[in-house]
Amino acid sequence: MVDRAFAYAISAMQPKSAQRAQPSLPDYRVRVEARSLDGLAGQLSGLASDAGHGRLWAVADAPAELLALNTDGQVLSRHPLDGFDGVSGIASLGDDRLLLVEKGRHTLVVMPAPQAPDEILRRHGRQALRLELPNSDQAVEGIGYDRAGDRLFVVQGHAPSHLYEVRGLRAGLEGRAEVQLIDRAAWIGDKFVARDFAAVKYDARTGHVLLLSNASRLILELDDQGRFVAYQPLAAGFAGLHETIPQAVAMSMDDERNLYVASTANRFYAFEPD
């Protein structure tokens, strides 16, 4: 668990230029804490911001389901995912298209955003791409998409996790070219504060990568060279949290840098820049 002495220690690692950046990850305050998403049979496993519509997309597993949420964590609609196997992450590709990942198959599937409130989303016939990851026996935990650069960041496995960058995603999905897989182990290999990552997101405003560690109960921010920039503890007393987030499993960020986190027991958290 993150305690204050530990937090002060890793704060000293933060470059002065990052400390002047506004807003940075430590400058958050919780707005919604531990809202329960009642009625779900499965466990939330991924979050993605849908900036064009002011909402969030969430995926749950066992049974596989897509949910539309408002930014307070209230469920707007629910959509069964037919034919999917172990959905563990979601990203918005823009233009009302969603990218889902099947954790065991290491397969990316493109789906149109649902238009009807109870629309069933079927996997059959959808555009898909299997990632040839070196650690084939480890599950994919989360994905984060850089739309401008057409890059996908992939977190795989636990203790330690693996981080990959996939370049040329659109061409790969369309079958026009092979994707380029880059191992970003060097970005996380020296981050002693966290080795166990459950989710990854790309922040288009800064070009930084955010990594969620459920074991260390924090979010790390890395720059485009993999250097440590900032962190956000998810423990009680930080960002106004009354209680520690027990086991964070998913996160997302919108265009205003509002931060959203989901935990086990299907609890929802929203943070805003302080």
Side-chain angles (χ1 to χ4, degrees):
M1 180 181 296
V2 177
D3 59 26
R4 293 187 180 277
F6 177 71
Y8 294 147
I10 62 174
S11 180
M13 297 169 55
Q14 187 169 313
K16 292 182 179 180
S17 59
Q19 289 177 336
R20 290 195 300 268
Q22 295 295 326
S24 59
L25 277 177
D27 300 320
Y28 280 97
R29 180 151 296 275
V30 67
R31 183 176 61 81
V32 178
E33 182 170 358
R35 177 187 291 276
S36 177
L37 277 67
D38 297 326
L40 296 186
Q43 171 63 52
L44 287 176
S45 56
L47 284 173
S49 173
D50 185 358
H53 299 281
R55 64 188 173 191
L56 300 167
W57 292 109
V59 286
D61 193 23
E65 188 175 18
L66 175 73
L67 301 94
L69 309 176
N70 67 16
T71 55
D72 292 328
Q74 297 171 319
V75 178
L76 303 175
S77 62
R78 298 175 60 173
H79 308 274
L81 295 172
D82 180 66
F84 284 82
D85 180 28
V87 179
S88 61
I90 183 171
S92 174
L93 298 177
D95 302 321
D96 287 329
R97 294 188 306 155
L98 303 174
L99 185 68
L100 279 61
V101 60
E102 296 175 305
K103 60 182 178 181
R105 292 176 176 172
H106 300 172
T107 301
L108 306 170
V109 183
V110 179
M111 299 292 297
Q115 301 302 311
D118 300 317
E119 183 179 349
I120 298 174
L121 303 180
R122 306 186 189 281
R123 188 189 188 284
H124 179 71
R126 297 300 180 185
Q127 202 174 44
L129 174 68
R130 177 177 171 81
L131 297 175
E132 298 298 332
L133 300 177
N135 302 285
S136 59
D137 60 335
Q138 294 186 333
V140 172
E141 300 297 332
I143 55 175
Y145 185 58
D146 167 17
R147 185 177 181 186
D150 192 30
R151 300 180 300 163
L152 186 74
F153 291 93
V154 179
V155 166
Q156 181 193 26
H158 284 294
S161 295
H162 304 276
L163 177 64
Y164 299 99
E165 178 184 332
V166 180
R167 294 187 177 180
L169 180 64
R170 282 192 292 266
L173 286 166
E174 294 167 2
R176 294 185 285 108
E178 295 288 333
V179 296
Q180 181 184 4
L181 183 69
I182 302 173
D183 190 342
R184 293 300 187 190
W187 286 20
I188 60 176
D190 62 347
K191 305 302 185 292
F192 68 92
V193 295
R195 293 291 185 89
D196 186 84
F197 298 113
V200 58
K201 291 299 171 186
Y202 177 81
D203 179 9
R205 290 169 58 99
T206 61
H208 294 174
V209 172
L210 307 178
L211 290 160
L212 171 67
S213 171
N214 54 22
S216 297
R217 292 173 179 166
L218 55 78
I219 298 171
L220 288 182
E221 181 177 353
L222 308 179
D223 69 10
D224 59 0
Q225 300 300 311
R227 294 171 298 205
F228 175 81
V229 174
Y231 73 100
Q232 174 61 56
L234 302 177
F238 292 96
L241 283 168
H242 292 95
E243 296 183 2
T244 297
I245 298 179
Q247 184 177 351
V249 295
M251 69 168 172
S252 189
M253 177 181 282
D254 64 21
D255 288 348
E256 285 72 44
R257 299 206 74 186
N258 295 303
L259 190 65
Y260 307 95
V261 175
S263 74
T264 53
N266 295 326
R267 303 290 181 175
F268 177 87
Y269 301 78
F271 300 83
E272 60 188 2
D274 191 2

